[in-house]
Amino acid sequence: MKMFIRLFICLFFLGGSALAQDISPILKFGLFADTQYADCPSENARFYRQALQKLDTCINYFNQQNVRFTINLGDIIDRKNSDLKKDNVLSRSS
């Protein structure tokens, strides 16, 4: 995990210096974390069934930004492995 954070910081500063010089970035990538989908009712501030809609919004944004690849830094599902089959969780792609 520390390696990902270091990589992200390096790429952030490299990308920032490219923007400051009005040069297009060499590489664009998307990061997302903790989708936490579950086929269960919401609890407190967790809206499990809405997670896939939010993931779709994220994917659409990445497509608009023309990212080359995405990295998932957290859990896709929250509870049961069978939730991976629900609503084609694994078939979503950018």
Side-chain angles (χ1 to χ4, degrees):
M1 184 67 167
K2 287 183 181 182
M3 186 169 88
F4 283 119
I5 293 170
R6 288 180 186 155
L7 175 64
F8 176 73
I9 291 170
C10 290
L11 291 173
F12 177 79
F13 285 113
L14 289 173
S17 65
L19 293 174
Q21 297 174 15
D22 199 25
I23 299 172
S24 63
I26 296 170
L27 178 67
K28 282 186 177 182
F29 64 95
L31 294 174
F32 70 100
D34 295 326
T35 304
Q36 298 291 359
Y37 172 77
D39 189 15
C40 65
S42 301
E43 293 177 11
N44 300 319
R46 298 251 182 152
F47 302 97
Y48 299 107
R49 289 187 177 126
Q50 294 176 6
L52 297 182
Q53 295 167 345
K54 292 181 183 282
L55 181 59
D56 286 339
T57 300
C58 180
I59 291 169
N60 289 334
Y61 179 78
F62 288 154
N63 286 336
Q64 290 171 359
Q65 298 300 314
N66 296 318
V67 300
R68 299 290 294 190
F69 62 93
T70 58
I71 301 172
N72 176 16
L73 299 176
D75 303 324
I76 293 175
I77 57 170
D78 189 77
R79 298 179 184 198
K80 302 178 291 185
N81 287 338
S82 62
D83 283 337
L84 285 172
K85 297 176 185 174
K86 181 74 175 173
D87 296 325
N88 298 317
V89 173
L90 294 179
S91 69
R92 286 169 160 70
S93 63
S94 55

